[in-house]
Amino acid sequence: MDGDGVVEVLVADYSGGGRVHVLESVGVDTWELVYSTPALDSTATTNNIRAIAGGDMDGDGMGEIYFLAGRNYDENNPNIDKLPPGLYIFEAQGNDDFGSEPTTIWEFDGDLPDRWRTEQMIAMDIDGDGGDELLISNNGGDNRYDNWYVIGATDINDTFPTIVQELRLSSRASEDFDPVDRGGGSPYSMVPGDLDGDGNIEILLHSWNAFNLTNVRVTGPNQYVAPDENATNVFLHASAPDDHVAFFGCTGVDINGDGDTEVYCPNLQTGAVTVINYESGENALEITADNVSVGIIPGFSTLGLTAGDLDGDGNIGLIGTARGYSAADFEAGNPAAWIHYVEYIGGDVEDPASYSPVVEIVSPSDNYDAFHQIVAADETITYSDAAVDARNPLDVSLGNSNPEFASKFAFLGDVDGDGENEVAFGIQGVPDSLYVLNAITEDSLTVASVSPNTHRIFMRVLAGSATGVSVEEDRIILPSDYKLHENYPNPFNPTTTIAFTLPIDKRVSVKVYDITGRLVRTLVNGQAYPAGTHEVTWDGTSDAGQTVASGTYLYSLEYGSFRQTRKMVLIK
């Protein structure tokens, strides 16, 4: 995304008003956190950043990060006037740097949705104009904002960028901008692909109304055709009479290599996978029961879904959400089960017999006791994964189970060159803090203690090869793994030694500033060092060669978009 030729993975974070962390592959089974969008606000709410995407909408070779934010920010935030609700875009400014503030914030041409309930965003050049389009499905509070959007842009990094709403469709039949009945319900997915194999891209649209499905066709740059009020078979309620949904969206793949895209959708209510499939010559702007096979893979995934040839055998498989990990699993000694995997083995994609048996992939190394503890009057300890609100921890229903689970997936291919294909996936439901609650009686609780959860998994990597499929123990390098040590001596006159430790080979800078932040001396300027501890010496002179005055100075270790700083004192 930043033009350095290295694959990045984007990870969403609800804290700081909504943040995105960029992880980069830096070696076999090794990732590094190279950038984080700034904390925009003190709030941490699911009203923001429910979905993220990366792409290049303006086609300038510098990628962008996209997310929806700005909802329910603290009214005392000093920057609140500069942080309206909207589409936040951070464009790459250089290697591992997407800027210290949003490049631009788009407010939906003045018709701003009344809330963010977007679980899937996809960036892809669907119309061949050289820039990615951003596909957004949003479940509005008001029916007017139950919409599917296609967004384009030019010159994002300019003072006045151009953001274009290329398409806006309503799921309802009640809106002036789109009065056609498209099946109703709250939009949750948009999947682009050549559904009928005619060389044109269509977009499958999905909403929460008996698993509603409808389509639109891309006909050229910024040009789209959707069924009008005179069309037939505009939508299909695939799960009727049951009201089901693919909550985290669907995925498209040409799984059988026949030249058209099949779309696979998980089911929040049943876990069964549905496939949408068109044969050559069928009209992809119509959808009937002949195009949809419901529940072909039972019990596979209630939430996330992606596709790829994980084990490298030439057969594409589906990767989905398994049962996860709960307090009950911990007490019973069951391993964490993050992933389900199934492979297409040939034949009719609508036939359940065309798929291998479902494999549950467990991760025994993730068996841990990071759950709340309930201490009974007889000092018996049980564990709970119930959701505890820090604002009122005693208002908790201990009987409710909220297991940790694999949520959203990204198939990466062999990203680190080790001969294995990888899938990155996020883990949700992990508590920030762990409580010890004393249960004096069945209905009376007190808080004995609260502590940070030191086993907070946020990402795992699934790897596959001809020898098997497993969850890897990938190493993730964080800024805290870089160490800037105390200079010695300190105070000093006339020289001092500055030591730093690097967890991996890295280009770094070491600089000296005065107490006002003015640069005094560059000791190391983007120089490559191997992993390990290194030392440099400062002789109390500036870059101009002049001896500096006595006083307090700051010295820093700078790498990527991160910096560590310490103080030292020069005494004469």
Side-chain angles (χ1 to χ4, degrees):
M1 288 180 59
D2 55 6
D4 64 358
V6 181
V7 172
E8 294 96 2
V9 169
L10 306 182
V11 179
D13 179 352
Y14 286 140
S15 71
R19 306 184 70 189
V20 175
H21 306 291
V22 180
L23 301 177
E24 196 167 76
S25 176
V26 294
V28 174
D29 299 343
T30 305
W31 298 81
E32 182 181 12
L33 174 61
V34 297
Y35 171 82
S36 297
T37 59
L40 303 170
D41 191 65
S42 61
T43 56
T45 169
T46 58
N47 289 318
N48 298 305
I49 207 165
R50 296 173 73 98
I52 58 177
D56 185 9
M57 282 207 291
D58 58 4
D60 64 355
M62 302 301 286
E64 300 102 23
I65 297 169
Y66 319 108
F67 59 93
L68 298 167
R71 292 289 182 194
N72 303 112
Y73 280 1
D74 186 346
E75 62 183 16
N76 295 316
N77 183 333
N79 298 314
I80 191 69
D81 292 339
K82 300 178 182 179
L83 300 172
L87 174 64
Y88 282 55
I89 303 177
F90 287 78
E91 184 170 64
Q93 308 299 306
N95 186 30
D96 300 339
D97 182 13
F98 290 81
S100 59
E101 60 183 19
T103 309
T104 190
I105 302 171
W106 183 61
E107 299 180 60
F108 286 74
D109 289 343
D111 196 5
L112 189 73
D114 59 345
R115 71 173 184 184
W116 306 135
R117 288 294 185 275
T118 295
E119 298 293 349
Q120 182 186 53
M121 298 172 73
I122 294 176
M124 175 181 169
D125 183 6
I126 60 174
D127 61 2
D129 64 357
D132 289 338
E133 281 73 36
L134 185 64
L135 280 59
I136 302 174
S137 310
N138 191 61
N139 169 6
D142 188 290
N143 286 349
R144 178 174 178 80
Y145 300 109
D146 280 338
N147 295 162
W148 295 284
Y149 297 91
V150 178
I151 311 299
T154 57
D155 304 322
I156 285 176
N157 210 27
D158 284 4
T159 303
F160 299 103
T162 301
I163 312 293
V164 179
Q165 182 175 278
E166 297 183 6
L167 180 70
R168 178 187 180 188
L169 293 176
S170 171
S171 67
R172 315 286 179 175
S174 56
E175 305 310 318
D176 53 2
F177 60 86
D178 181 23
V180 178
D181 183 2
R182 305 195 187 279
S186 302
Y188 273 90
S189 188
M190 302 177 72
V191 180
D194 184 1
L195 298 182
D196 52 9
D198 66 352
N200 296 313
I201 295 295
E202 288 85 25
I203 309 172
L204 181 130
L205 313 177
H206 170 59
S207 60
W208 191 341
N209 186 22
F211 219 87
N212 181 59
L213 303 166
T214 184
N215 295 330
V216 61
R217 176 170 290 136
V218 185
T219 58
N222 303 355
Q223 297 178 359
Y224 305 86
V225 172
D228 61 22
E229 60 273 12
N230 298 316
T232 58
N233 301 318
V234 173
F235 62 86
L236 176 71
H237 292 157
S239 69
D242 298 318
D243 190 17
H244 294 174
V245 68
F247 192 74
F248 281 176
C250 307
T251 191
V253 61
D254 182 6
I255 203 166
N256 58 358
D258 66 352
D260 63 63
T261 302
E262 290 79 38
V263 177
Y264 291 85
C265 300
N267 188 306
L268 176 66
Q269 286 76 18
T270 70
V273 171
T274 289
V275 63
I276 296 92
N277 178 49
Y278 285 83
E279 304 297 342
S280 178
E282 290 186 311
N283 181 8
L285 288 184
E286 295 188 6
I287 188 162
T288 71
D290 289 339
N291 306 118
V292 181
S293 295
V294 176
I296 60 165
I297 308 174
F300 186 74
S301 178
T302 56
L303 291 168
L305 191 69
T306 194
D309 182 6
L310 188 56
D311 56 9
D313 66 353
N315 295 325
I316 294 176
L318 300 175
I319 301 106
T321 302
R323 61 175 168 81
Y325 192 56
S326 65
D329 287 323
F330 169 70
E331 292 185 321
N334 298 326
W338 303 125
I339 300 294
H340 277 154
Y341 181 65
V342 69
E343 200 166 71
Y344 171 74
I345 56 178
D348 184 356
V349 297
E350 300 176 43
D351 183 354
S354 298
Y355 302 86
S356 67
V358 174
V359 176
E360 183 179 76
I361 301 171
V362 300
S363 180
S365 63
D366 286 330
N367 294 9
Y368 46 82
D369 61 351
F371 298 102
H372 308 302
Q373 296 184 32
I374 313 301
V375 183
D378 63 359
E379 299 186 353
T380 301
I381 297 176
T382 57
Y383 292 84
S384 173
D385 51 26
V388 177
D389 187 342
R391 295 166 296 183
N392 191 4
L394 299 183
D395 184 19
V396 55
S397 179
L398 298 179
N400 290 341
S401 179
N402 293 276
E404 300 166 8
F405 60 92
S407 55
K408 298 175 183 179
F409 304 86
F411 183 83
L412 307 174
D414 184 6
V415 70
D416 56 5
D418 64 353
E420 298 182 328
N421 289 330
E422 286 97 9
V423 175
F425 60 95
I427 303 292
Q428 286 190 224
V430 182
D432 294 327
S433 301
L434 298 178
Y435 286 80
V436 176
L437 301 175
N438 287 332
I440 301 172
T441 67
E442 185 176 342
D443 299 318
S444 178
L445 298 173
T446 61
V447 177
S449 66
V450 58
S451 60
N453 183 357
T454 58
H455 198 105
R456 291 199 68 238
I457 307 172
F458 61 89
M459 187 185 89
R460 280 284 187 258
V461 175
L462 178 70
S465 68
T467 60
V469 176
S470 63
V471 177
E472 291 184 330
E473 288 299 308
D474 279 22
R475 180 187 183 195
I476 297 180
I477 305 296
L478 301 175
S480 57
D481 294 317
Y482 290 81
K483 304 298 181 184
L484 178 61
H485 304 288
E486 177 77 22
N487 66 299
Y488 62 92
N490 188 26
F492 67 95
N493 180 26
T495 63
T496 188
T497 298
I498 297 170
F500 57 91
T501 300
L502 307 180
I504 56 174
D505 299 351
K506 191 74 173 179
R507 289 189 177 274
V508 299
S509 297
V510 179
K511 299 181 180 182
V512 178
Y513 300 85
D514 66 20
I515 199 66
T516 68
R518 181 179 61 88
L519 179 64
V520 174
R521 179 74 180 273
T522 299
L523 301 173
V524 177
N525 188 21
Q527 184 174 336
Y529 283 86
T533 300
H534 309 275
E535 295 181 346
V536 294
T537 300
W538 184 42
D539 60 4
T541 62
S542 68
D543 280 332
Q546 298 176 335
T547 300
V548 302
S550 298
T552 299
Y553 291 85
L554 307 175
Y555 63 100
S556 69
L557 173 66
E558 302 176 12
Y559 42 96
S561 60
F562 296 100
R563 171 191 294 181
Q564 292 185 27
T565 303
R566 302 188 72 148
K567 291 182 179 180
M568 57 184 174
V569 179
L570 171 60
I571 297 178
K572 295 184 179 179

